[in-house]
Amino acid sequence: MKSEGMTGNGLRRPVLAVLTVLAAGAWLGASNCATNGLDPLVSWADHDNTNAGTIDHAEWQAVLDGYLRTDDPSGVHLFDYGGLKANQADRGRLQGYIAHLEAVDPRLYSRDEQMAYWINFYNALTVETVVEEYPVDSIKKIHEGIVPLSGPWGDRRATVAGQRLTLDNMEHDILRALWRDPRIHYAVNCASIGCPNLMPAVFTAAKLEEMMDAAARAYINHPRGVELMDEMFGVASSIYTWFQEDFGGSEAGVVEHLLLYAEPELAEQLRSFEGGFDYEYDWDLNDAS
């Protein structure tokens, strides 16, 4: 979904918010598939908090160090998908990392270790999915089915503990379902301009809370998260309407959530805000090239 019009910081704005909402609903219907092929006999909630072991994410960190660009003036983190595709050694490093995660049974680890595992897995698998099809100008154009612009989220792309999983399974059926933490939306990255940034450091159990809070603050205090024009009108990310149940179930709940992470100037605006939001999302690829 391409937005039309531009803001002062270079982010695109839709002309008609209603078109954004309709497009968002169409995407959500295709991607948010609870228990989409997920085996109910596999209890992904199982964990072992007595296990102090950690899962190695060093190879994913090396890929991030080499190809994630965090210095764009827009404030959006961009990824050099073309550069990674051209470098066979580093592409193999990413694929090897994904194979390494597939060989791990996360249920044998602590809950925090599990959460970091699934977030890193989701982000690395998303990058590999884009690199595989690159060049492409939007992740929504990558799909195995017949529905156009449905994206890759419902495609089975990994095997863990003998079960084939989709990106939707990882995000909605495991991360959102088991942790019920709205900050998950800021941690997982969908390779798009409108998405919360892909973080430059891998998630770890030891720094999970710190990193989740940092990701929430970074997005909420950027115009693509929320921007108030006056006391009666604001523009917010479509994340807050697609998944409103995760943010209090209402626009008032969304505002309360935003206040938890808003910087002082934005917080002051939110406290006096009495209007409603238009929602938008830019599906253009977060491509460094």
Side-chain angles (χ1 to χ4, degrees), residues 27 30-33 36 122 126 129 138-143 149-157 165-172 189-192 283:
W27 170 78
S31 74
N32 185 6
C33 46
N36 176 25
Y122 184 99
T126 297
T129 297
S138 174
I139 191 174
K140 292 192 72 178
K141 294 184 178 179
I142 303 171
H143 56 88
L149 299 180
S150 59
W153 300 283
D155 303 337
R156 289 178 173 81
R157 292 183 172 268
L165 298 176
T166 68
L167 287 166
D168 268 344
N169 290 148
M170 292 181 184
E171 180 180 4
H172 304 303
N189 181 268
C190 65
S192 303
W283 281 108

Side-chain angles (χ1 to χ4, degrees), residues 116-166:
Y117 164 92
W118 287 116
I119 292 170
N120 290 325
F121 201 161
Y122 184 99
N123 290 337
L125 189 59
T126 297
V127 166
E128 169 59 20
T129 297
V130 173
V131 170
E132 183 179 8
E133 299 295 329
Y134 192 85
V136 63
D137 59 13
S138 174
I139 191 174
K140 292 192 72 178
K141 294 184 178 179
I142 303 171
H143 56 88
E144 294 178 356
I146 61 174
V147 180
L149 299 180
S150 59
W153 300 283
D155 303 337
R156 289 178 173 81
R157 292 183 172 268
T159 301
V160 179
Q163 184 169 358
R164 293 284 287 162
L165 298 176
T166 68

Side-chain angles (χ1 to χ4, degrees), residues 184-220:
I184 288 166
H185 295 289
Y186 309 118
V188 295
N189 181 268
C190 65
S192 303
I193 295 293
C195 190
N197 281 331
L198 181 59
M199 298 290 277
V202 300
F203 282 81
T204 64
K207 294 187 175 181
L208 198 56
E209 287 296 313
E210 174 187 339
M211 293 188 68
M212 298 273 278
D213 280 349
R217 285 193 300 271
Y219 191 64
I220 287 170

